[in-house]
Amino acid sequence: MTGAAPGPARLRGMIRDVGTLMRGTLVAQGLGLLLLPILSRLYTPASFGAFGFYQAAILLLTVIACMRYDQAILTAKDEREAVALFQLCLVVGLAMAALLLVPIALVDAAGLERALSGALSPYWLVPGMLVSGWTLAANAALTRLGDFKGAAASKMAQAGANSAASLAVGLAVPGGGPGLVLADQLSKLAATAVAVARLPGGIAPLFRVDPAALVELARRFGDFPRLSVLGGLLNNGGSFLTPALVYWLYGADTAGQFALVDRTISLPLALIIVTFSQAFSSHYARLLREDARAAKPYFAALVRMAALAGLAPMLLGLVLSPYAFPLVFGAQWQEAGIFAQLLAVMYYSALVVGPVNTALIVAGRLRWQLGWEFVRLVLLVAMWVGVIGLGLGPLWALGGYAAVSVLVNFAYIWLAWTQLRRAVGAIDMFGERR
């Protein structure tokens, strides 16, 4: 391919794929949001708090679930290699889940499990890590294969199963118990099953394991566990830090208020971001391989579109959140509305950066990705050290968390854009990428 196609033209092609991904997702996610006012009355704030802690822990553990070979799937040279890498992720996931049992058993034997995870048993983390890793790998495989219809079906299965299971347990168990956790795991298992059914050859090839071939594949893509695991731990460690410390410092009820905000805003936002990011990763990788000059207007047009689309929701959140949350979810969720108002600008920055959040990885700039994730974690740790040292309350803590997040999110866009300009500059000067 020669010449740079205009950013808007490339963007229209991506939006067609996004439309395919979003059709099923919006239906299922809409059902989830409609059910949330019911769930907020079936589950206690403490149940939401325990689920928020679980989600934070799973976010951290997911980094090692497949040792980041799920990210390698996006760079596979052909369909066969993509499926083989997915098979590698399934095997690595089982091995890591078995290894996770060892420290959990030691914590259990020492009687520390309640101090670390409250009322929620740490054994829930084992299947949670496994199915979360498999779901990421399945989504990466469908993205690499360009099967956006399959990705949409997988997301719809996940959102629908989550809504059905959480409602069923909430109705059956007073206070909900671990129903939100169970629903999360069942929904990810359903998403993985749908994705596997869409792979070339279906499930049958996945059972034909060639250990020597998998070892060679693991060696050839060894940069991902060597570099990306550390970066993922740094990045997700920052995401783990805030809900975990809110849970430990301010109690399960306050953590539950924060978790309801996360479920109301972050989860739908994450589905939108992941959908756009999947399509972006596929298109951006192809552009970098075939016509890197066209990647600049494409990247800029996507960031500009996200920034404009997020302005109105951010302003509504700033104005209406304190009134909307107790009205929709019940009077016991007044604090959640204040939290949502405080975090509105942070969610806006996440929406702007989210569609391009794989830019450095897809471009092979793993060390720059690692550096950004390290700085993000350092800033969050410094913020929390100040909060704890000064004895500040949850509003100050979440305000600091929002400020750091906004700063690093926009810094990522600048960094990804800078690296893209350098790559294109190298082509203009030398006729090759470096």
Side-chain angles (χ1 to χ4, degrees), residues 19-319:
T20 301
L21 285 167
M22 288 294 287
R23 278 194 291 269
T25 302
L26 287 175
V27 173
Q29 189 60 35
L31 174 62
L33 290 175
L34 287 173
L35 285 176
L36 195 51
I38 301 174
L39 297 181
S40 67
R41 290 166 171 83
L42 294 175
Y43 291 85
T44 64
S47 293
F48 273 91
F51 179 61
F53 178 87
Y54 163 83
Q55 282 188 304
I58 288 298
L59 185 64
L60 190 61
L61 291 170
T62 300
V63 176
I64 63 171
C66 297
M67 296 303 292
R68 301 303 255 191
Y69 285 114
D70 54 294
Q71 293 187 340
I73 294 173
L74 295 172
T75 67
K77 67 178 184 295
D78 54 33
E79 180 180 284
R80 182 177 179 181
E81 187 171 80
V83 175
L85 281 166
F86 177 65
Q87 184 184 46
L88 176 63
C89 288
L90 296 180
V91 174
V92 171
L94 287 170
M96 297 307 296
L99 286 175
L100 181 61
L101 275 171
V102 176
I104 288 178
L106 292 175
V107 167
D108 190 12
L112 299 175
E113 72 280 0
R114 181 168 292 275
L116 293 176
S117 58
L120 189 68
S121 169
Y123 287 102
W124 281 104
L125 297 176
V126 177
M129 182 185 77
L130 181 63
V131 296
S132 296
W134 283 359
T135 302
L136 282 180
N139 284 333
L142 293 177
T143 299
R144 175 59 185 85
L145 297 173
D147 185 4
F148 296 108
K149 289 184 179 179
S154 177
K155 292 178 187 300
M156 185 171 181
Q158 179 176 350
N162 191 298
S163 297
S166 56
L167 180 60
V169 177
L171 290 170
V173 179
L180 296 174
V181 173
L182 178 62
D184 179 75
Q185 295 181 2
L186 291 176
S187 67
K188 289 175 179 175
L189 191 60
T192 302
V194 170
V196 167
R198 301 281 305 194
L199 294 178
I203 194 172
L206 300 178
F207 288 101
R208 295 195 288 269
V209 179
D210 183 347
L214 290 183
V215 169
E216 170 59 23
L217 200 63
R219 184 199 63 78
R220 190 148 51 87
F221 288 91
D223 275 352
F224 285 89
R226 281 195 297 269
L227 297 175
S228 190
V229 165
L230 177 57
L233 288 173
L234 291 173
N235 184 32
N236 289 6
S239 300
F240 166 80
L241 202 61
T242 294
L245 287 176
V246 169
Y247 187 81
W248 284 330
L249 293 175
Y250 305 119
D253 286 343
T254 298
Q257 301 283 339
F258 178 56
L260 181 69
V261 175
D262 185 70
R263 191 175 179 92
T264 306
I265 302 176
S266 290
L267 291 185
L269 182 62
L271 282 174
I272 294 171
I273 288 172
V274 168
T275 299
F276 273 88
S277 181
Q278 276 187 275
F280 167 80
S281 298
S282 179
H283 285 254
Y284 196 59
R286 186 164 62 250
L287 281 174
L288 292 178
R289 289 194 303 267
E290 300 174 357
D291 186 9
R293 292 180 185 88
K296 284 177 64 178
Y298 171 67
F299 182 99
L302 181 55
V303 171
R304 185 164 53 248
M305 182 191 73
L308 292 174
L311 280 175
M314 177 188 69
L315 294 174
L316 288 174
L318 287 170
V319 175

Side-chain angles (χ1 to χ4, degrees), residues 379-405:
L379 290 175
L380 283 171
V381 169
M383 185 276 296
W384 274 107
V385 168
V387 167
I388 295 171
L390 295 172
L392 301 177
L395 290 179
W396 282 99
L398 293 180
Y401 169 60
V404 170
S405 298

